[in-house]
């Protein structure tokens, strides 16, 4: 007669605070896996503007489907474009509604708030959301003509500039940062979001003849036009940062910037750098403490990509999130091979202290036809991770007992919580101590129970487990829900 082995779990019921902790650290537990979700021109969402309730329901279904797919590949952060061409995707007193959601001059009003809906759906899936704002561009002449009389460009004619057929907010005008601060305040007063993400916080490309010379010559603070332009952009960033932190010290301000900061001796030179061509100085923002993390748009390959990742880490004093361009696989873009994307992902996986990766944009990140989805999913699904770390909350939850039982599939662990749309993080160790939370998480979940397969546990071992909450708005962990150690051993059936 064969001997049937029964798994037995014995709780030692030890209090967390009296247990020893492990000083050993494993791989980083915070790794932003972000995607830019574009709304301008409806590139990612929505496919068409709404003129009736059926159209609105279509918009909702499209976003739900896209977020489901992004969640399935391991995405934990969404940069949602909420402002583009001087319009917003939510009802606002400051700027008109995006024409990608409602046709211009149609008079139709949405019965739902696209931003509020997106936030709710992201949080259901354990993903943080950052409001992505395109700063200076306002669009072409037609875009301006279609705006209502109360819109910013029509109320501030002296504060906007027409350059090569496109309109821009003038970075040298105080009205620009004042208006952007109002938008940020409105956002943070009305929506629970993890951060504000600035895009196109710069001058137009290679705009040597941008019509601001008269204002420059009237200034007495900076010696050169280039320095003056960088000063103007730096001031806008600093004022927006002040507005963000006025709301909460845990709300983050980030910015997407050109992929090359400046030319570096010994590396291949570029004719398109943030510092020289668009007067954008993220290093100065970091040094001044007016930005929380930087996302260079590194849509290059080979010697224009690999060495510059480390160069960014060298010059920045804030976390680095590398922007990648899977769209470059398209024939009319870069005609890259998918292997280029895989090689970049593999390389970034070897870089210590990298805060994360951001993919531009959602459609190409999820594309099976381009072949980009598989390598991204393979990389992102490899391990559990949390978005950027803002520390551990000091308020501790009431201690509660982990409910544990052996089931056929593995070790079932359950806990109680009334928090809706809460992301939980579970840490696991096999060395007999409760994890500290400095370790990489074993898994993250939106549920209140997990089953750890038996083949991932070691018999005759003290198993240390801790479960904590990760706040999707503040990006802080609240530890612990509870933690304890348990002894797992196998014994023959019939043994007393």
């Amino acid at each position: 007669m064969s001997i049937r082995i029964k798994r037995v779990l014995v709780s030692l019921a030890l209090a967390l605070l009296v247990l020893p902790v492990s000083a050993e650290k494993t791989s980083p537990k915070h790794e932003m896996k972000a995607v830019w979700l574009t709304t301008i021109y409806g590139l990612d969402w929505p496919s068409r503007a709404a003129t009736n309730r059926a159209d609105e329901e279509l918009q909702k279904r499209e976003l739900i489907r896209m977020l489901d797919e992004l969640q399935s590949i391991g995405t934990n952060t969404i940069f949602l474009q909420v402002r583009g061409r001087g319009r917003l995707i939510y009802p606002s007193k400051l700027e008109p509604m995006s024409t990608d959601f409602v046709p211009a001059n149609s008079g139709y009003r949405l019965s739902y708030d696209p931003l509020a809906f997106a936030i709710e759906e992201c949080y259901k899936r354990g993903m943080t959301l950052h409001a992505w704002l395109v700063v200076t561009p306002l669009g072409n002449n037609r875009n301006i003509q279609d705006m209502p009389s109360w819109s910013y460009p029509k109320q501030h004619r002296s504060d906007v500039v027409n350059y090569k057929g496109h309109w821009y907010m003038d970075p040298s005008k105080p009205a620009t940062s004042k208006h952007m601060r109002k938008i940020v305040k409105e956002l943070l007063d009305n929506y629970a979001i993890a951060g504000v993400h600035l895009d196109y916080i710069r001058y137009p490309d290679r705009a040597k003849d941008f019509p601001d010379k008269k204002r420059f010559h009237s200034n007495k603070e900076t010696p050169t036009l280039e320095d003056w332009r960088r000063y103007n952009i730096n001031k806008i960033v600093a004022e927006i940062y002040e507005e963000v932190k006025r709301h909460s010290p845990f709300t983050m301000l980030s910015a997407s910037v050109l992929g090359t900061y400046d030319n570096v001796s010994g590396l291949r030179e570029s004719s398109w750098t943030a510092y020289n061509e668009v007067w954008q100085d993220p290093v100065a923002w970091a040094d001044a403490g007016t930005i929380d993390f930087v996302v260079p748009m590194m849509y290059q390959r080979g010697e224009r990509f690999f060495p510059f990742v480390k160069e960014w880490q060298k010059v920045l004093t804030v976390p680095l999130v590398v922007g990648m361009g899977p769209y470059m696989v398209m024939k009319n873009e870069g005609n890259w091979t998918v292997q280029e994307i895989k090689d970049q992902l593999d390389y970034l996986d070897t870089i210590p202290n990298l805060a994360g990766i951001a993919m531009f944009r959602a459609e190409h990140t999820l594309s099976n036809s381009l072949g980009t989805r598989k390598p991204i999913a393979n990389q992102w699904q490899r391990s559990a991770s949390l978005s950027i770390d803002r520390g551990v909350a000091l308020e501790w939850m009431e201690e509660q007992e982990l409910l544990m039982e052996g089931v056929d599939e593995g070790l079932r662990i359950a806990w109680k919580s009334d928090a809706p749309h809460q992301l939980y993080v579970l840490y696991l160790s096999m060395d007999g101590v409760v994890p500290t939370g400095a370790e990489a998480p074993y898994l993250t979940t939106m549920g209140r129970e997990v089953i750890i397969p038996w083949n991932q546990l070691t018999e005759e071992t003290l198993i240390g487990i801790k479960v904590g909450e990760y706040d999707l708005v503040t990006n802080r962990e609240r530890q612990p829900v509870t933690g304890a150690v348990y002894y797992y051993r196998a014994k023959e059936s019939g043994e007393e």
Side-chain angles (χ1 to χ4, degrees):
M1 178 175 168
S2 63
I3 298 176
R4 184 167 57 92
I5 301 298
K6 178 193 263 185
R7 293 181 175 94
V8 176
L9 193 69
V10 182
S11 169
L12 299 185
L14 297 176
L16 172 70
L17 295 179
V18 301
L19 290 175
V21 296
S22 171
E24 182 181 355
K25 291 185 69 173
T26 58
S27 58
K29 65 189 178 107
H30 292 278
E31 180 188 358
M32 180 174 280
K33 301 171 181 177
V35 171
W36 280 287
L37 202 159
T38 310
T39 59
I40 195 168
Y41 307 122
L43 291 176
D44 287 321
W45 177 61
S47 64
R48 67 168 179 255
T51 57
N52 53 54
R53 295 295 186 268
D55 290 341
E56 292 183 32
E57 292 305 311
L58 174 63
Q59 290 181 356
K60 292 179 182 180
R61 289 195 303 271
E62 288 174 343
L63 182 63
I64 287 172
R65 182 170 61 251
M66 179 162 283
L67 292 179
D68 280 344
E69 292 190 41
L70 289 170
Q71 179 192 28
S72 73
I73 67 168
T75 309
N76 63 21
T77 304
I78 300 294
F79 295 145
L80 177 66
Q81 188 174 36
V82 303
R83 183 182 193 250
R85 297 177 301 179
R87 290 178 177 269
L88 299 162
I89 74 166
Y90 59 88
S92 169
K93 296 179 181 178
L94 300 172
E95 293 189 331
M97 176 66 76
S98 165
T99 56
D100 299 298
F101 285 83
V102 176
N105 306 315
S106 69
Y108 184 77
R109 290 192 176 186
L110 295 174
S111 65
Y112 84 109
D113 180 336
L115 177 54
F117 180 76
I119 292 170
E120 179 80 2
E121 293 301 321
C122 281
Y123 291 171
K124 283 180 183 178
R125 292 159 178 81
M127 296 189 287
T128 63
L129 184 143
H130 296 243
W132 163 17
L133 305 175
V134 176
V135 180
T136 56
L138 295 170
N140 57 26
N141 290 329
R142 175 61 184 272
N143 298 138
I144 301 301
Q145 290 170 6
D146 285 342
M147 287 189 180
S149 59
W150 56 270
S151 64
Y152 181 86
K154 290 189 175 179
Q155 288 292 314
H156 293 263
R157 281 292 188 182
S158 62
D159 298 315
V160 296
V161 173
N162 189 311
Y163 180 69
K164 295 185 177 180
H166 291 268
W167 290 86
Y168 298 87
M169 298 171 71
D170 188 341
S172 71
K173 296 294 185 74
T176 296
S177 57
K178 183 178 179 181
H179 183 64
M180 290 308 302
R181 286 187 71 149
K182 287 181 179 179
I183 291 175
V184 168
K185 184 179 187 303
E186 182 182 61
L187 260 174
L188 298 179
D189 282 348
N190 293 289
Y191 301 97
I193 55 178
V196 174
H197 181 68
L198 305 179
D199 185 21
Y200 218 106
I201 178 69
R202 58 183 177 87
Y203 283 81
D205 298 342
R206 305 181 181 91
K208 299 290 186 183
D209 54 347
F210 191 79
D212 60 354
K213 307 295 190 303
K214 189 174 182 180
R215 281 187 60 80
F216 163 66
H217 289 302
S218 68
N219 101 93
K220 305 296 182 183
E221 298 181 13
T222 49
T224 68
L225 176 64
E226 288 73 19
D227 289 339
W228 180 69
R229 286 178 174 175
R230 282 187 286 268
Y231 168 82
N232 294 334
I233 299 298
N234 293 353
K235 192 170 187 296
I236 297 172
V237 173
E239 294 198 8
I240 294 175
Y241 183 85
E242 182 181 42
E243 192 63 51
V244 168
K245 299 307 174 179
R246 180 177 294 181
H247 171 77
S248 166
F250 300 106
T251 304
M252 290 187 285
L253 181 68
S254 62
S256 54
V257 299
L258 264 61
T260 302
Y261 172 60
D262 198 359
N263 287 313
V264 180
S265 177
L267 296 179
R268 178 183 168 191
E269 290 194 1
S270 171
S271 61
W272 196 43
T273 66
Y275 189 83
N276 295 301
E277 273 66 49
V278 296
W279 302 282
Q280 185 180 59
D281 193 353
V283 172
W285 312 339
D287 291 346
T290 58
I291 201 78
D292 289 308
F293 65 94
V294 174
V295 193
M297 300 174 290
M298 302 186 69
Y299 311 148
Q300 300 287 337
R301 58 181 170 174
E303 61 181 347
R304 298 298 307 146
F305 180 85
F306 299 106
F308 282 94
V309 173
K310 290 187 177 180
E311 183 62 25
W312 273 112
Q313 280 194 312
K314 179 181 176 181
V315 299
L316 284 177
T317 55
V318 295
L320 169 67
V321 174
V322 174
M324 287 181 56
Y327 76 94
M328 293 297 288
V329 172
M330 299 172 68
K331 289 184 178 180
N332 61 340
E333 294 290 351
N335 199 26
W336 292 5
T337 65
V338 175
Q339 187 64 39
E340 298 274 5
I341 300 298
K342 186 178 185 303
D343 289 346
Q344 291 186 0
L345 285 166
D346 290 342
Y347 174 74
L348 294 177
D349 197 39
T350 69
I351 301 296
N353 302 317
L354 188 68
I357 299 171
M359 296 291 176
F360 184 81
R361 52 186 173 83
E363 178 187 0
H364 306 126
T365 302
L366 296 170
S367 178
N368 287 313
S369 61
L370 291 177
T372 48
R373 177 175 182 147
K374 185 175 180 180
I376 295 170
N378 287 346
Q379 183 72 265
W380 283 6
Q381 292 171 348
R382 185 177 300 170
S383 61
S385 65
L386 302 172
S387 193
I388 280 186
D389 185 11
R390 299 300 288 170
V392 177
L394 297 179
E395 61 271 21
W396 289 61
M397 296 185 66
E398 292 184 8
E399 191 69 23
Q400 61 167 281
E401 184 180 356
L402 283 174
L403 306 175
M404 301 190 65
E405 64 174 336
V407 296
D408 290 343
E409 296 85 355
L411 173 59
R412 177 179 175 267
I413 306 169
W415 55 93
K416 296 178 181 178
S417 176
D418 297 325
H421 305 164
Q422 179 61 59
L423 181 65
Y424 299 96
V425 53
L426 186 145
Y427 300 93
L428 178 69
S429 75
M430 300 291 184
D431 56 7
V433 298
V434 173
T436 65
E439 304 86 351
Y442 173 77
L443 57 81
T444 58
T445 179
M446 296 297 289
R448 294 180 179 86
E449 69 171 64
V450 298
I451 295 178
I452 302 177
W454 292 119
N455 61 11
Q456 296 185 22
L457 299 173
T458 304
E459 294 179 354
E460 307 297 339
T461 301
L462 277 175
I463 303 167
I465 293 174
K466 180 162 71 174
V467 178
E469 293 183 347
Y470 185 77
D471 192 309
L472 295 168
V473 177
T474 66
N475 291 281
R476 293 193 302 170
E477 270 190 86
R478 199 158 103 147
Q479 297 177 339
V481 169
T482 189
V485 293
Y486 297 86
Y487 185 66
Y488 157 47
R489 67 186 178 90
K491 69 177 182 179
E492 296 178 6
S493 59
E495 179 185 333
E496 293 297 334

